[in-house]
Every structure is written in structure tokens, then in C-alpha cells.
Amino acid sequence: MTARPIDTGAAAEAPAKRKRTALKPVVPDYWCMSEPSAGDSGTRGDSSPEPEATTAEGATAGEASTDRPVVYDLAPDCTLADVETDACYHAEVNGVVDYGVFVDVSDVVSGLIHESNLDGEYAVGDRLIVRLTDVRENGDIAFDDETFADYTTETVEHEPDVSRVRGLSPGAEVTVEGEVVQAKQTGGPTIFGVADATGVIACAAFAEAGVRAYPSVEVGDMVHVAGTVETRGDALQLEVDSLKPLAGDRAAEARERYEAALDERAEPAAIDPLVEWEAFEPIHADLRDLARLLRRTVLAGRPIRVRHHADGDGMCAAIPVQLALERLVRDVHEDPKAPRHLFKRLPSKAPFYEMEDVTRDLNFALAGRARHGQKLPFLLMLDNGSTEEDVPAYENLTHYDIPIAVVDHHHPDPEAVGPLLDAHVNPYLHGEDYRITTGMMCVELARLIDPSLTEELEHVPAVAGLSDRSKAEVMDDYIALAAEAGYEQDDLLDIGEALDYAAHWLRYSEGKTLVNDVLNVGCDDPDRHEELVAFLSERAARDVDRQLDALDAHVEHERLASGAHLYRIDLDEYARRFTYPAPGKTTGELHDTRVQETGDPVITIGYGPDFCVLRSDGVRLDIPTMVTELNEELPEAGVSGGGHLVVGSIKFVKGRREAVLEALIEKMAEAEIDESLSAATALDD
């Protein structure tokens, strides 16, 4: 008996099925190929004589025979593809006529023993051994009656022609081999999502209304599903005739085939970055590994949840990745609604993954698993997630099977977060810094997942760089690339301003269509994009001017021993509250005006009752190190936070504000002046 090859082309038709009379297989788990059993006819009620006892080696006691005939015991679903002429099979009589008896060797394979080839008389239900002598062109099968004094039984499992999910056609009768990635009970059938690396298809199995079909089948099992392909709404669905979990060697072999196919299809596109940049090369290699992991996650049917910083760079990172992954989900799943169910993007206001956010995400994930029978999601952190402040949230996820990956350009704590992450992409891990923004990295990540997006994303790295004030030497190249795509530098600045303004009012909402239209990625109306950016950026500029006018007279100034200017503003007392711009943006805008006015190194602190926002230009603050030192010096102040070398935010206990600010300013006074961190020179100079 040889295994049938897997059909890698169009859907293969399954043979017609018919019921057989009360046959109970002797081997309980016929899906697992058992070791040959010698001389077992006495246990089957066959017509042949009881064989002699055999040794473990299969030889009859007292002699060393190794050439006993083999009688095959077919699994009930075996077809003509699993039988051979001149082979012997265990059979059961299903009908007696004047010219012979009809026998079944499986639920599907039946034939006639002509009376001239019968050695005895039989009734319906009798068991015997037969030899297959002929399979005629019309499908009729002829058997002979056989009797052996001694024989060996080998069980045979059915090896169906397996069809790929991708390319199935309505009306086809097929068998699909894959992993169960979803098991959802509806008010009617049970819906199993089955993935085979080419796609994922819903398989509807019915026991009773609202009753779980195949209750032993679980998410993660390798299965064979046979049935008819139907159309349900806009999606293809397999109406299940049989669903059988694979076990033992058979499951292991199926798993190996599946994993190998996942690896092959998950391979990212072979493309170069948008601009030539030596510093980016090792990061691009990390992004390739992450793209492979994300593609594999989609192909395996696992949901993805994205958390990103709610600012211009964060959205320039998240939107391209969202578009690429949603297109891949749509390509993999037969259900066009799958992207809505399997991908979720949410902004994070804090510069780290807060317990509030992780609790919401975990609750959402567990509810989705309970309601929809899905795997728990893959968490992708963008422009956030690299610091020790993220560790408690990540540790909360370790109680569940939730993989985590991070793409970030904030100063990392790799020893703290590394053991908790499946992938970590950060320029600091390669001796680089925040000038390589998350938006720049994620544009390349999106292109590795779906290179067809390239033309639509050419302006995004420049928007990300300008939004995050990147000093990268290739900013001129990115701006030139955007200009070739039709975006002047003023356009890019307006887009960044509009993104910040939209993010402020969206707060914790995704705002998918609005943000896509502002960034002009996944936007179907260029005119609407231009009108929307003009409106939002003008409103943002108006609100910024109002805020600066309100606090200008209350800004405190001093000159530090290093020669740097220090500007301080109490945002709680003098800034407009609960409106745009928020404290971080307000501090940044105030800082930019002072940099332009002085042309010298500048540090700006905007503070409230229990927080402060820090900006510097031409001064190497190293904010993450300062936070660590403040915690050691003022343990009762509960200092937390972080950021880049020149941008960051800190939280502390309200009653210790003055002590924290005083200690912070002392450290700033000792900070090194570094002209390479200055924005006083325009990008196009």
C-alpha cells in the first residue's frame, strides 16, 4: 500500500460515499498505522482456520517462517486509490444473490465474489478474507474468496488527494489538510477555521443546532477535513462531511509539511530600502526577520494587535504596517471580513505600555478567544515598548500565549525587555540612535510584507523624520524622494501637524479612515486628503499660537553654567487645559521658538503637578540615564519615564515635584554640549 501524492493544483474531487452495514474496526485508532500483527484471523471471525501462535518476530512457534501472506485491514474511508489487484483484504458480506455475494472492504470499496469463486456459504454480516482480482473500467470490482492457515494483518489508513485552500472552487468535493486555528460555536453549526499555509477556510460542521460538532477537536490540531465547497455570503465555506484529527506519525508528518510550507510562504520580499543608508543595513536585516515572523503569523491564522505611540512618527509607523498586514490577511482568508476580525490597531498616549492598556488588550483577547474560538493575538508594539517601564505589562502577558515584538527608536533596556520579546528592532541595538525613526523602519517593514505598497509609501519616511525632528544624514534623500512623489517639504510638515492634531482629538480611538486620509496611505480620494490636511494643519497652527500667547509671559529663563539656555513653564498654571496642544506638544512648540530665537543650545521643561516634559537642542541630556539616577537619589519620589537623549517625559509623586525638578536641573547643567544634536541649521542648508 503506497501513500497517494498531495494534489497541489486545483481542488480534487472526493469519491462518492455510501453507507456500509455495521462494520466495527478491530483497530481502535485506524488513523495511526500500527505494527503488523501476525496471524490474527481468529480475532476477526474470518472463515480461515485459527492460526498457530507466533513469536514476537512473527515466526510460528517451532519454525522460522518469514513469508506468511499479508491481509490488509482498510480504514472505513479508504477508496480505490488505497487498494491494489492481487492483494488480500478483510471483508464483510453486505448482500447475498444467486450468482454470488457482495462484500465491503471499506465504506467506499465494495465488489462481488462470483459463485464460482466461493469456497463456502455466507450470510449478510459474515466476515472473510478476499483477494482483489479485477477493477473493471466501469468501476465494478471482482474478488475471490481466500482461506489461509496463517497470515499477517496490516492496517491501512486512507491517504486522500489533498487540495490547497487557495484556489478552491464552489461545488468541488475536496479534502483539506491543515491546522485548526479557530473553533467557533454558533447557534447552528460549529465553524472550524483550518489553515494550510496557502490560506484559511471556514469549515462548517453540524451535529445539532448550537451543539459542538467534533468536540474532541481543538485549536492547534492537525486535521483532514472532507466536504463540499460552498459560497456563504461573500466567502467560501467548506460544508464538512468528515473532520478527523491526525495522530502519531501521521500528525507529525502533516505538521512537518505544514511548517515547511509556512516557512516558504512567509519569506519576505527581496527588496532594498528606499534610500541607500549604511547605518540602516543591520536594522534592515532585523526588519526582514520580523516581516517573516509577521507573515507567518497571518498565514497561521493568528490575530494581530498593534499598539503605537499616538504621535506623528507613531502613526507613520503603524498605518503602513496595518495596510500591509490587512492586505495579507485578505489574501490568506477566504472571508473578506477577516481583516476586521483579525487585526486591531490602537494608540497609546503614554511613552510606555501601561498596565491600563495591557489589561484592556488582554481582556479583549480573552473575550475574542471565548467568543470566536480564536488563538490569542500577536502583540506588535510600534514607537514604544523598549524600556524597563514596559516590563510589568509584558509580564502580565506571559501568563498567556501572546507573542510580543517591538519596533522602537527610544533608548532601550534590552536586558529588561529582551527575555520577554519574540523580536526587538531598535537602532540603539546596533550602535545607532533615535535619528532612525520608527516610521522610517516601519515603512520598510510594510514593504517587506507587501512590496506593492512601495509607491504609496514613498513620502512617509520624510513625514516621520520631520515629525520627530530627525537629524539623520539621509533626511535630504527622504525629502527628495517625497518631492518626486509630489510632496513638497511644506506639504510634509502640514501632514505631520495634521496627524498630531487628529491624534489629539482621537485620544484612544483608532480613527482608521481619518488617519489614512491625512497620511494619504490607503486613501481613495487625493482631493479629500489635500483638503483635510489643509483644514487640520491650519486649526493646529491656530491652537498652537493661542497656547504660546497664553503662556509666553510666564516662561522662566536662566543660563546654565554650560552656556545652554534653560526655559521652564508651569503648564498646570499657565497653559490652556483639555485642548490642543497637549503638554508634550506645548513644550515642544515653546522649545522650537526659543531655539529659533537664540540659535544656541536650549533646554525646555514643561511641568505639571506630577509630570514634566523635556526637550533639548544641542545638549546631550541622556534622559533615560537621568531617570535611573533620580530613582536612586530620590526613591520616595516614584520617578518613572524615559525617552531619547534629547526628548522625554517623567512622572513623579506630586509632593516631591520641587525636589525632582531641582535634581533634574542640576543634572542638565552638567550635560555635555553637542552641536551634532542641534536643529539650528535647517535641513535643506
Side-chain angles (χ1 to χ4, degrees):
M1 300 297 102
T2 57
R4 298 284 294 171
I6 293 177
D7 174 19
T8 57
E13 293 189 0
K17 294 179 282 295
R18 92 181 151 72
K19 286 293 181 184
R20 162 180 170 181
T21 55
L23 175 59
K24 296 182 179 179
V26 173
V27 182
D29 185 1
Y30 55 78
W31 283 99
C32 300
M33 179 69 80
S34 66
E35 293 296 323
S37 55
D40 63 352
S41 61
T43 67
R44 302 185 54 82
D46 295 326
S47 60
S48 52
E50 183 77 18
E52 297 183 26
T54 59
T55 65
E57 289 75 20
T60 304
E63 62 184 24
S65 173
T66 58
D67 57 355
R68 289 176 300 164
V70 175
V71 180
Y72 295 104
D73 182 19
L74 299 182
D77 58 344
C78 282
T79 69
L80 282 175
D82 302 300
V83 299
E84 297 175 356
T85 57
D86 204 37
C88 294
Y89 300 94
H90 290 287
E92 180 179 345
V93 176
N94 72 14
V96 179
V97 293
D98 292 341
Y99 49 86
V101 298
F102 287 97
V103 296
D104 296 331
V105 294
S106 75
D107 284 352
V108 175
V109 182
S110 302
L112 175 70
I113 306 175
H114 194 269
E115 60 176 345
S116 62
N117 295 318
L118 286 171
D119 290 338
E121 295 184 357
Y122 296 96
V124 172
D126 286 349
R127 299 188 64 90
L128 68 161
I129 295 174
V130 299
R131 182 183 301 277
L132 194 158
T133 59
D134 190 22
V135 179
R136 300 186 176 92
E137 291 184 3
N138 64 2
D140 289 345
I141 302 173
F143 294 102
D144 281 353
D145 189 3
E146 286 283 357
T147 302
F148 296 114
D150 188 22
Y151 61 87
T152 296
T153 293
E154 291 185 7
T155 59
V156 177
E157 57 191 8
H158 175 50
E159 291 292 346
D161 288 337
V162 174
S163 300
R164 298 185 301 177
V165 168
R166 187 181 180 89
L168 292 178
S169 301
E173 294 185 356
V174 301
T175 296
V176 171
E177 177 183 278
E179 180 186 33
V180 177
V181 297
Q182 181 181 18
K184 176 183 177 181
Q185 184 59 54
T186 71
T190 306
I191 305 298
F192 295 95
V194 176
D196 73 347
T198 73
V200 179
I201 190 167
C203 304
F206 188 82
E208 297 179 38
V211 175
R212 175 72 143 80
Y214 303 102
S216 64
V217 175
E218 299 179 350
V219 171
D221 287 348
M222 297 300 298
V223 297
H224 275 179
V225 188
T228 304
V229 181
E230 303 287 353
T231 301
R232 290 290 179 267
D234 297 328
L236 292 181
Q237 181 173 283
L238 189 61
E239 302 296 327
V240 176
D241 291 325
S242 68
L243 190 156
K244 298 181 179 179
L246 307 183
D249 291 343
R250 196 168 195 215
E253 292 167 2
R255 172 67 65 182
E256 185 176 354
R257 287 192 296 270
Y258 175 62
E259 297 291 339
L262 282 179
D263 289 341
E264 181 179 356
R265 194 174 177 203
E267 191 63 25
I271 58 173
D272 295 323
L274 288 173
V275 300
E276 189 174 344
W277 191 3
E278 185 177 354
F280 197 76
E281 291 176 4
I283 299 167
H284 194 256
D286 288 350
L287 291 171
R288 282 192 63 83
D289 292 341
L290 178 55
R292 184 181 298 110
L293 179 58
L294 290 172
R295 287 181 57 85
R296 207 178 194 282
T297 297
V298 172
L299 292 168
R302 184 188 286 271
I304 294 178
R305 193 169 181 88
V306 170
R307 279 283 184 179
H308 65 92
H309 197 199
D311 65 0
D313 186 41
M315 286 185 286
C316 286
I319 299 305
V321 171
Q322 177 174 10
L323 189 59
L325 289 174
E326 285 185 338
R327 287 188 180 183
L328 181 59
V329 170
R330 192 174 296 111
D331 184 52
V332 167
H333 289 257
E334 295 296 330
D335 183 358
K337 299 177 182 177
R340 187 177 69 190
H341 302 305
L342 295 174
F343 187 95
K344 185 68 174 177
R345 173 182 65 81
L346 287 172
S348 293
K349 291 292 186 180
F352 59 91
Y353 196 27
E354 292 187 296
M355 286 300 294
E356 179 181 1
D357 287 342
V358 71
T359 303
R360 289 177 178 174
D361 291 345
L362 191 53
N363 183 57
F364 179 87
L366 294 173
R369 183 175 68 175
R371 182 178 179 184
H372 303 294
Q374 298 172 324
K375 295 180 178 180
L376 292 175
F378 185 108
L379 175 65
L380 178 61
M381 300 289 295
L382 302 178
D383 200 32
N384 222 340
S386 284
T387 66
E388 190 172 2
E389 284 75 23
D390 300 284
V391 168
Y394 293 159
E395 288 179 337
N396 198 17
L397 297 180
T398 61
H399 300 99
Y400 301 90
D401 178 25
I402 298 182
I404 309 168
V406 170
V407 184
D408 190 17
H409 73 144
H410 294 84
H411 197 284
D413 296 308
E415 292 183 1
V417 299
L420 301 168
L421 301 179
D422 293 79
H424 189 188
V425 183
N426 191 305
Y428 284 93
L429 301 178
H430 297 283
E432 296 298 330
D433 60 28
Y434 64 93
R435 66 198 173 115
I436 302 176
T437 76
T438 310
M440 295 172 184
M441 292 187 284
C442 284
V443 165
E444 301 300 344
L445 177 61
R447 294 178 63 238
L448 288 165
I449 295 169
D450 184 353
S452 69
L453 292 174
T454 294
E455 186 174 340
E456 195 170 355
L457 302 180
E458 289 176 336
H459 65 293
V460 177
V463 176
L466 292 172
S467 295
D468 237 38
R469 297 171 174 80
S470 171
K471 310 300 188 300
E473 62 270 23
V474 296
M475 274 303 300
D476 287 340
D477 295 334
Y478 278 134
I479 291 171
L481 183 66
E484 293 175 6
Y487 299 86
E488 297 302 324
Q489 185 165 334
D490 286 344
D491 299 329
L492 302 173
L493 290 168
D494 286 346
I495 292 173
E497 196 70 36
L499 285 173
D500 272 340
Y501 195 67
H504 175 83
W505 297 114
L506 285 168
R507 301 189 187 280
Y508 297 101
S509 299
E510 177 187 29
K512 179 179 178 181
T513 302
L514 174 61
V515 175
N516 283 47
D517 287 349
V518 171
L519 190 55
N520 203 19
V521 173
C523 173
D524 58 5
D525 189 341
D527 291 337
R528 183 173 65 239
H529 156 72
E530 293 181 4
E531 294 169 1
L532 191 59
V533 168
F535 173 76
L536 294 176
S537 62
E538 288 171 6
R539 297 280 298 186
R542 182 205 66 178
D543 289 355
V544 167
D545 289 342
R546 287 181 177 178
Q547 186 76 295
L548 294 180
D549 288 343
L551 56 80
D552 189 66
H554 307 285
V555 176
E556 299 178 30
H557 171 257
E558 64 179 282
R559 199 74 179 254
L560 300 176
S562 64
H565 295 272
L566 173 64
Y567 294 94
R568 301 171 58 183
I569 180 65
D570 187 334
L571 299 171
D572 189 51
E573 291 289 337
Y574 303 113
R576 295 172 180 266
R577 302 178 64 187
F578 311 116
T579 187
Y580 185 85
K585 179 73 171 178
T586 297
T587 304
E589 293 291 342
L590 173 63
H591 175 77
D592 289 345
T593 64
R594 296 308 189 257
V595 169
Q596 293 170 8
E597 290 173 1
T598 65
D600 296 328
V602 172
I603 300 172
T604 306
I605 305 176
Y607 58 90
D610 59 356
F611 72 89
C612 66
V613 180
L614 314 174
R615 298 288 187 272
S616 74
D617 188 88
V619 184
R620 184 174 291 272
L621 289 186
D622 196 352
I623 295 168
T625 299
M626 289 183 174
V627 170
T628 300
E629 292 173 352
L630 287 170
N631 257 316
E632 295 172 353
E633 298 165 10
L634 301 170
E636 78 285 358
V639 179
S640 65
H644 308 308
L645 294 177
V646 297
V647 179
S649 62
I650 297 175
K651 290 185 177 181
F652 42 78
V653 173
K654 180 178 179 180
R656 300 295 290 156
R657 183 178 76 173
E658 295 307 319
V660 170
L661 291 177
E662 182 178 344
L664 188 60
I665 292 171
E666 288 178 2
K667 297 180 185 302
M668 291 176 169
E670 298 171 357
E672 175 188 354
I673 301 297
D674 188 344
E675 292 184 1
S676 68
L677 300 177
S678 174
T681 302
L683 286 167
D684 56 354
D685 283 354

